[in-house]
């Protein structure tokens, strides 16, 4: 099988490198040090990124200057209406899709429960859903619960030896009763990337919807629903330099036909708005717009969509250098086990790494790193099926390190040095 390329990974002009000093100055948290004066290294990006000052300012300014409910006849309310419209337009540009398909919510999980319940009302007993071993439980549990309520069948697609989505297994498990293929663009636990276009094509050939979790992908690669061809994509702005909230894009003609659960007075347009229940967090929308602006500021071009595509080329190139440095360095240490692709390729992994150490459990390793002012995660990260597949203790899980565009080569080297000390290498 051939491997699909994300936009910007082929036939694109050379992208100037990121100005790391300028980038880091935009993030107040990156200026912090521990009590001993040691600078903090944020190697915890997969669990949530830090935010630039413009996000803080946008949210604060909204609350101070234009805080209001919607559809009023006065200036603050009108400004809020305009903010929601702008956020929807930015959401469309962010995924390169029609902005009328954008829906905002409390978080990705909540949105996915709403959307799966909506599609569930169109399904019949015996219809089938495919999930994958790689997925965060937010794109698995909603389908399992729906299956209990509607008499559906849920099957799971496995992984390859290097822990990527097994497309052959996907093809084998599709049947005429398959209605949805739910899969992730990147594993939140180990960073392996899925061949999204091929998965979507297989789903569509079987007459099924392609339902995509992009949460662990969005900070690292350009989401392009036109290139992927998916029907639904979900992500979390707090994973790409914004506030805690969720965003979904639903193919507009699909969104218009799904039976949404809404209060009676609520309007129905645009289609994505049908899945926004109650009043949105307007200050979070302001932060979301600012986060997208931050990413776009790293690229060039005349419009937001072009700047985002350019920016993600630069982000991918920089993070590729970080990932190569980390993987090469880790390969020289004893006592560490890496899960997922051992060599970096932009089509195979992002800079998220799931590890086990031979001398201590993940919780202890995370504490040891914290003592060295390195922030890292431990646990199963809600990737329950993957952790079980790995034969790892479900509670202890893995040690997870992850880098994004504001991390430096020097930080990667420092983390490797700490891992060497901790393993006695």
């Amino acid at each position: 099988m051939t491997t699909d390329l994300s936009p910007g990974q082929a036939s694109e002009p050379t992208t100037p490198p990121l100005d790391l000093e300028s980038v880091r100055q935009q993030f107040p948290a990156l200026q912090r040090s521990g009590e001993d004066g040691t600078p903090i290294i944020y190697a915890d990006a997969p669990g949530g990124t830090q935010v630039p000052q413009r996000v803080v300012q946008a949210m604060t300014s909204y609350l101070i200057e234009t805080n209001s409910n919607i559809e009023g006849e006065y200036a603050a309310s009108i400004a809020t209406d305009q903010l929601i419209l702008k956020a929807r337009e930015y959401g469309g540009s962010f995924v390169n899709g029609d902005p009328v398909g954008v829906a905002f919510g409390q978080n990705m999980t909540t949105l996915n429960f709403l959307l799966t319940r909506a599609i569930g009302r169109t399904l019949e007993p015996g219809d089938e859903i495919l999930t994958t071993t790689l997925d965060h439980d937010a794109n698995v549990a909603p389908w399992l619960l729906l299956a209990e309520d509607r008499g559906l069948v849920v099957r799971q697609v496995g992984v390859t030896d290097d822990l990527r989505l097994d497309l052959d297994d996907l093809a084998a498990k599709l049947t005429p009763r398959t209605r949805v293929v739910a899969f992730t663009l990147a594993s939140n636990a180990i960073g392996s990337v899925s061949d999204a276009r091929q998965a979507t094509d297989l789903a569509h050939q079987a007459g099924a919807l392609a339902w995509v979790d992009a949460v662990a992908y969005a900070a690292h690669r350009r989401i392009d629903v036109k290139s992927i061809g998916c029907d639904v994509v979900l992500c979390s702005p707090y994973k790409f330099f914004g506030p805690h909230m969720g965003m979904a894009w639903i193919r507009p003609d699909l969104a218009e036909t799904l039976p949404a659960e809404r209060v009676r007075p609520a309007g129905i347009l645009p289609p994505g708005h049908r899945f926004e229940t109650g009043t949105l967090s307007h200050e979070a929308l302001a932060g979301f717009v600012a986060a997208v602006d931050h990413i776009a500021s790293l690229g060039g071009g005349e419009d937001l969509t072009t700047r985002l595509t350019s920016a993600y080329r630069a982000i991918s190139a920089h993070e590729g250098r970080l990932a190569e440095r980390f993987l090469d360095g880790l390969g020289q240490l004893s006592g560490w086990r890496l899960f997922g692709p051992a060599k970096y390729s932009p089509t195979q992994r992002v800079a998220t790494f799931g590890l086990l150490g031979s001398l201590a459990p993940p919780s202890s390793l995370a504490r040891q790193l914290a003592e060295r002012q390195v922030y890292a995660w431990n646990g199963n990260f809600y990737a329950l099926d993957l952790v079980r597949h790995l034969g790892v203790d479900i509670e202890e899980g893995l040690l997870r390190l992850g880098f994004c565009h504001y991390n430096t080569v020097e930080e990667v080297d420092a983390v490797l040095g700490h891992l060497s000390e901790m393993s006695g290498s």
Side-chain angles (χ1 to χ4, degrees), residues 270-295:
H273 176 54
R274 301 177 68 238
F275 303 96
E276 295 171 345
T277 56
T279 303
L280 296 170
S281 172
H282 303 142
E283 62 272 26
L285 293 179
F288 164 75
V289 168
V292 175
D293 269 334
H294 165 73
I295 296 172

Side-chain angles (χ1 to χ4, degrees), residues 63-222:
L63 290 171
I64 293 173
E65 299 169 6
T66 54
N67 186 33
S68 173
N69 213 324
I70 62 173
E71 299 174 353
E73 303 298 333
Y74 55 93
S77 182
I78 293 169
T80 296
D81 293 338
Q82 293 171 342
L83 169 63
I84 295 171
L85 178 61
K86 184 175 183 178
R88 213 175 298 283
E89 292 172 347
Y90 268 55
S93 293
F94 188 71
V95 302
N96 197 27
D98 191 330
V100 302
V102 171
F104 296 105
Q106 182 178 1
N107 48 58
M108 177 273 190
T109 304
T110 299
L111 277 172
N112 207 27
F113 271 109
L114 285 170
L115 290 169
T116 55
R117 302 309 282 190
I119 195 70
R121 293 170 66 183
T122 71
L123 303 180
E124 300 292 335
D127 284 346
E128 298 175 0
I129 310 294
L130 294 184
T131 64
T132 87
T133 302
L134 281 178
D135 272 83
H136 186 289
D137 211 51
N139 205 20
V140 178
W143 301 111
L144 294 174
L145 292 171
L146 182 65
E148 291 180 10
D149 292 346
R150 304 287 298 182
L152 309 177
V153 176
V154 177
R155 303 181 191 277
Q156 188 171 92
V157 178
V159 292
T160 59
D161 290 342
D162 62 350
L163 301 179
R164 300 180 67 223
L165 179 62
D166 189 336
L167 294 172
D168 292 330
D169 191 42
L170 169 58
K173 287 178 175 169
L174 288 163
T175 78
R177 294 299 302 270
T178 306
R179 298 293 178 259
V180 177
V181 176
F183 66 95
T184 185
L185 294 186
S187 166
N188 73 308
I190 61 172
S192 57
V193 170
S194 301
D195 291 325
R197 182 70 203 206
Q198 293 186 55
T200 294
D201 286 347
L202 287 169
H204 288 169
Q205 289 165 17
L209 298 174
W211 203 281
V212 173
D213 174 1
V215 172
Y217 187 87
H220 312 288
R221 301 283 189 277
R222 178 79 159 104

